[in-house]
């Protein structure tokens, strides 16, 4: 069963071994485990439903406390604090699980008639507060789309698949794989995030270099909006005015409910491999990945860890003896304290993939890149969706883990990394706490890269205090991001947590244009109020 | 000097030789040359300027008849008929050539104050009526952006170049080439079309397979709108809400004046080659190009002519003996009456390009593809921007040439081609005229292809009659396109000529959302009224 107050399945544990804990203790001090609230305690905080009764929605809406609790929050750190400490400040007044576009339209009509706020929910994995019910007198209905999960149509000639938008990653891939196809969209949240959620938050997967971001994969669909049904047709390309797909992408539930999405699929690759290459220092590594991204090679993934992330990953990996041997070998080849690890993926036709790998290694070698083969890469692949479980394990030992991510042109990638890390590392000094901070570049473009920074800090063991620590840290890093000209999000979206920083990149005129657009589809502004726009 | 009533430079002629004329005469009858109006006659049709005087724009606006005539129309067939027959129904009341964003803002403020309609003009090559001054009492000002042409900034690390948006293709490429870079955007209108025009009409170039459509190349910029200045920042990617670039793309002058654009550039390719492959028939050829597009090879161009276009191109090529030898050889290899010609481009690193070519030929060979080498391809490359001149030559012999283009998923490419051709071929039966019709696929995607159909028909020698013929033909083919589920434009935009067919693909809700968006930036609706939206 899925955890109600953490990541993933209750049956899956990803333990932190003693060496890893010693590493963390040395960096930021030993953690003190926290007493979690029980499910019963949290449910007791759910206040009676305020949804007005209406015959039109009879049987469609559930109002039990546990259902509402399980649909109340996402996976952001403040969401975790609320769940772990049992401080459920707001929750939806009811949850509907529609099974058709008709039922969604019925729910929308009900919400409009009674001025009920409506929050569409996919997999509930948002890390920026997309799902929080607003405080205030307005009743809130969450529309959970998990029952809209069927593959409606697969067009193998045009390589298009139409799904119910609530389908989760593994279900979607299983339905496609049975027919020899893949979408190839693998964000770290893959196991629990949904197709519709990817689209409305502009998600990006680990192999976006091969398959593209969800923007490139999403080709059309159906959005039920308060103003009516918007059908976005599929075309390979079009010069006919505004691309309606772009109005849906990144709309974060503000324009309506995406019920159906058509995506580009491809035949399962004949061959796939992940290789590791180490560099002596950041400057060489950053230059190498920029040249790789600009060479236009057929790579499927590039993921570069900075020195501290490399050290952290090797420390957390276990297999101390093996890692020790690797580090000795790397030191002999010039990759010592400042070494950076690059994961490099290739997939597709075997010949093409091998040619691409060879061409890539010809670019990395002159920059001191040491190719250590497939072992580390295959390990990474095995654990690609298990690393998220690390957050559960860290919590059990009294540590919080959070991340921020941005994207910026190459000219500013290095300074962005340094500025965000400096801001994070110093952020909790006022609390007498240190922050363990490390960074990777996980999505590389000819123009620039995403800069993804992870923080580990100690829990105080108190909801208010831990929320204050998080707020201080989040404000420090978000301010650093916008001051360096980065986007406030490369792949997580805006939600509530990033909304205060959006004006810095869109400008007031850009923001008001977005507002005008959403108001056109939702004149009463009942759709996911308070998210995306401040 | 640029022709005032036709395509291109007055010094350039692309004659139709006798065999070509015989071919056309056999297909649709001999043409009768038409008497063109003189420049003086056309200028005499320009009525006095109605622009209200205002000290703020002193010296900024020109009102001479010839300047207004030369900025009155684009390159659509109705525009040609107006110019050739000297029937100038509407023209702007004045033309400004701003040299800065400040001057553009001054002109916008003037237009708002006096309720003057404002038409932004780039290179004046629109083929769908983007530039026509609306009829009626409202004075019209055309803002010609040709003086905003400088390369402001080249960031070689992020591979971004910022230009004044009025820069024309050859000027832009010359400024980049001097520094070792290229944009790689080569629409057939390249010699006279502008960067800003490409962006606001969603243009696509001949080598879009390598460089991407202008949507992918356009990374940010500045739009002066009646509601204020919109600055679109450059990010490699972003998940932060609506992508403001997408509001600018395809806006066709409705939201404001794009004054500056930042585009992705790449180092000049080490190697470039174009090869020709012939197929025995359409079915084999279409299958081959679909497989090529879906194989993800590093090709720079795929352009497939159907049997009648292949025959037409060979008939118009001249070099009868050489073509005869080629046809004999092809016939021996199975490519006879129904043969289809594929132009295949590769560019980039020499090794990568050659690998891609080899992989491509491995896909085409089992489908009966006969590789005839580089000669035809290099000829095509030499003439890639000269073919547009054919229209001048045909006119001199009493023929009109026009084109329509759409894009559609692979499942419907073949039926789209047949339906559009059938509609065109029969369209002028009521006038007792035949239409010579042929098609190519020039932009290929994994999902589908653009379908680009050319028509040749005889001129009646009278403005009203020829306009009626064109309207009948245009309506027949546009109806065929939308009935087959194609977009009304893959690369030319909407303007006035396609506006009636836009609702078929956007729906009423989509159209009204576009209207709401443009009204936000332009509450008085003075920007290019009557274009894009019906």
């Amino acid at each position: 069963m899925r955890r109600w107050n953490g990541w993933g399945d209750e049956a899956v544990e990803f333990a932190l071994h003693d060496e890893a804990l010693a590493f963390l203790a040395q960096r930021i001090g030993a953690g003190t485990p926290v007493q979690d609230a029980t499910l019963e305690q949290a449910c007791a905080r759910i206040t009676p439903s305020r949804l007005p009764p209406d015959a039109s929605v009879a049987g469609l809406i559930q109002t039990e406390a546990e259902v509402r609790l399980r649909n109340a929050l996402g996976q952001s750190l403040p969401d975790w604090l609320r769940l772990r400490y049992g401080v459920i400040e707001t929750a939806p007044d009811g949850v509907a699980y529609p099974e058709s576009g008709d039922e969604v339209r019925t729910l929308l009509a009900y919400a409009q008639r009674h001025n009920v706020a409506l929050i569409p929910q996919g997999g509930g994995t948002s890390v920026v507060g997309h799902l929080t019910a607003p405080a205030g007198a307005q009743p809130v209905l969450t529309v959970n789309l998990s029952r809209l999960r069927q593959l409606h149509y697969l067009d193998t000639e045009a390589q298009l698949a139409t799904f119910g938008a609530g389908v989760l990653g593994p279900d979607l891939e299983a339905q496609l794989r049975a027919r020899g196809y893949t979408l190839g969209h693998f964000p770290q949240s893959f196991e629990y995030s949904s197709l519709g959620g990817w689209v409305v938050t502009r998600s990006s997967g680990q192999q976006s270099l091969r398959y593209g971001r969800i923007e490139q994969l999403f080709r059309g669909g159906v959005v039920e909006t308060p103003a009516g049904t918007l059908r976005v047709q599929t075309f390979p390309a079009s010069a006919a005015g505004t691309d309606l797909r772009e109005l849906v992408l990144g709309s974060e539930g503000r324009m309506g409910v995406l019920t159906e999405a058509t995506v580009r699929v491809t035949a399962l690759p004949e061959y796939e491999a992940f290789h590791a290459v180490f560099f002596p220092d950041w400057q060489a590594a950053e230059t190498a990945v920029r040249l790789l991204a600009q060479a236009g090679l057929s790579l499927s993934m590039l993921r570069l860890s900075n020195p501290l992330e490399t050290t952290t990953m090797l420390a957390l990996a276990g297999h101390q003896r093996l890692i020790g041997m690797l580090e000795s070998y790397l030191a002999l080849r010039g990759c010592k304290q400042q070494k950076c690890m690059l994961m490099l993926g290739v997939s597709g036709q075997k010949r093409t993939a091998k040619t691409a790998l060879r061409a890539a290694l010809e670019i990395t070698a002159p920059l001191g890149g040491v190719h250590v083969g497939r072992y580390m890469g295959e390990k990474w692949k095995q654990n690609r969706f298990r690393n998220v479980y690390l957050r559960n394990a860290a919590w059990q030992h009294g540590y919080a883990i959070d991340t921020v991510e941005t994207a910026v042109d190459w000219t500013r990638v290095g300074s962005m990394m340094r500025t965000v890390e400096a801001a994070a590392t110093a952020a909790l000094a006022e609390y007498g706490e240190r922050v363990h901070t490390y960074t990777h570049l996980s999505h590389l473009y000819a123009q620039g890269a995403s800069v993804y920074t992870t923080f580990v800090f100690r829990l105080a063991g108190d909801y208010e205090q831990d929320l204050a620590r998080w707020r201080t840290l989040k404000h420090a890093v978000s301010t650093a991001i916008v001051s360096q000209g980065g986007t406030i999000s490369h792949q997580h979206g805006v939600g509530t947590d990033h909304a205060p920083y959006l004006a810095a990149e869109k400008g007031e005129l850009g923001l008001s244009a977005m507002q005008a657009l959403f108001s056109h589809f939702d004149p009463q502004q009942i759709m996911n109020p308070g998210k995306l726009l401040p």
Side-chain angles (χ1 to χ4, degrees), chain A residues 171-486:
Chain A
D171 187 4
L172 173 144
E173 281 292 335
Q175 293 187 66
L176 289 176
R177 266 160 205 268
R179 292 156 178 92
Y181 287 84
T182 180
L183 176 63
H185 189 74
F186 304 111
Q188 205 170 45
S189 62
F190 173 75
E191 294 192 319
Y192 291 96
S193 55
S194 72
L195 173 57
W198 300 337
V199 170
V200 302
T201 64
R202 293 184 177 272
S203 163
S204 189
Q206 290 161 348
Q207 283 160 279
S208 65
L209 207 56
R210 173 176 166 86
Y211 297 101
R213 294 168 60 88
I214 201 69
E215 282 98 321
Q216 283 91 51
L217 297 169
F218 173 60
R219 307 307 296 165
V222 179
V223 189
E224 301 295 348
T225 85
T229 303
L230 182 74
R231 285 174 200 285
V232 182
Q233 290 187 51
T234 62
F235 300 114
S238 167
T242 310
D243 187 342
L244 299 182
R245 287 177 304 147
E246 290 287 342
L247 308 187
V248 183
L249 286 159
S251 58
E252 301 195 356
R254 292 301 304 258
M255 72 185 278
V257 182
L258 179 65
T259 56
E260 213 176 280
T262 301
V263 285
R264 179 196 297 171
V265 297
T266 45
L268 284 165
E270 173 189 313
Y271 178 81
E272 183 165 77
F274 297 91
H275 288 246
V277 176
F278 284 82
F279 292 91
D281 58 36
W282 177 257
Q283 206 189 325
E286 191 198 312
T287 303
V289 293
R290 177 169 62 78
L291 295 179
L292 285 169
Q294 293 176 346
L297 305 174
S298 293
L299 303 174
S300 64
M301 193 185 77
L302 287 168
R303 186 188 191 284
L304 175 67
S305 298
N306 76 354
L308 200 45
E309 178 164 307
T310 303
T311 304
T312 304
M313 286 178 75
L314 295 177
L316 300 193
H319 319 292
Q320 258 197 312
R321 233 187 107 242
L322 215 66
I323 298 290
M325 286 166 57
L326 173 71
E327 294 204 290
S328 304
Y329 170 72
L330 288 171
L332 285 171
R333 301 283 309 270
C335 298
K336 301 176 186 172
Q337 290 287 39
Q338 293 301 308
K339 65 182 171 293
C340 296
M341 181 170 66
L342 170 67
M343 284 293 169
L344 191 154
V346 288
S347 47
Q349 234 200 332
K350 192 164 182 175
R351 189 180 60 183
T352 316
K354 297 213 156 189
T355 306
L357 179 65
R358 204 166 52 241
L361 296 177
E362 282 174 19
I363 290 174
T364 57
L367 286 151
V370 180
H371 178 214
V372 299
R374 285 180 71 168
Y375 180 79
M376 300 281 298
E378 295 308 314
K379 277 283 153 214
W380 173 86
K381 188 189 169 185
Q382 277 170 31
N383 289 321
R384 63 202 283 195
F385 306 127
R386 297 197 64 181
N387 283 327
V388 233
Y389 284 91
L390 201 61
R391 223 176 162 191
N392 298 339
W395 181 276
Q396 282 162 21
H397 294 282
Y399 295 106
I401 302 184
D402 201 14
T403 62
V404 290
E405 34 85 55
T406 178
V408 75
D409 297 344
W410 279 116
T411 338
R412 285 178 287 180
V413 165
S415 62
M416 174 65 80
M417 178 184 78
R418 287 185 292 272
T419 308
V420 171
E421 289 202 345
T425 304
L428 299 189
E430 59 179 290
Y431 302 94
E433 291 291 322
R434 287 175 288 166
V435 180
H436 178 54
T437 308
Y438 50 89
T439 299
H440 64 255
L441 313 182
S442 51
H443 298 262
L444 286 92
Y445 305 87
Q447 182 182 338
S450 71
V451 179
Y452 191 108
T453 302
T454 303
F455 324 110
V456 190
F457 60 97
R458 294 199 298 182
L459 292 163
D462 170 87
Y463 174 70
E464 291 296 344
Q465 273 190 61
D466 284 327
L467 190 62
R469 286 183 187 185
W470 176 82
R471 282 209 173 114
T472 305
L473 184 54
K474 184 76 175 178
H475 181 67
V477 292
S478 300
T479 306
I481 284 172
V482 297
S483 76
Q484 287 294 307

Side-chain angles (χ1 to χ4, degrees), chain A residues 78-193:
Chain A
D79 288 351
W80 265 53
L81 296 177
R82 288 172 192 126
L83 293 167
R84 292 283 182 164
Y85 290 109
V87 186
I88 313 301
E89 290 152 334
T90 64
D93 293 280
V95 182
Y97 294 82
E99 297 186 0
S100 66
D102 265 355
E103 287 189 359
V104 172
R105 282 190 294 276
T106 301
L107 294 163
L108 273 170
Y110 164 76
Q112 285 177 278
R113 198 155 53 242
H114 297 286
N115 192 33
V116 167
L118 196 152
I119 305 178
Q121 165 142 297
T125 60
S126 166
V127 289
V128 293
H130 283 120
L131 305 169
T132 323
Q138 189 181 26
V140 178
L141 172 65
T142 286
V143 176
N144 183 310
L145 298 161
S146 57
R147 293 187 187 165
L148 299 177
R149 53 160 292 280
Q150 281 78 17
L151 172 59
H152 293 302
Y153 189 67
L154 175 66
D155 177 343
T156 55
E157 214 171 319
Q159 301 194 331
L160 293 176
T162 302
F163 281 95
V167 65
L168 301 190
D171 187 4
L172 173 144
E173 281 292 335
Q175 293 187 66
L176 289 176
R177 266 160 205 268
R179 292 156 178 92
Y181 287 84
T182 180
L183 176 63
H185 189 74
F186 304 111
Q188 205 170 45
S189 62
F190 173 75
E191 294 192 319
Y192 291 96
S193 55

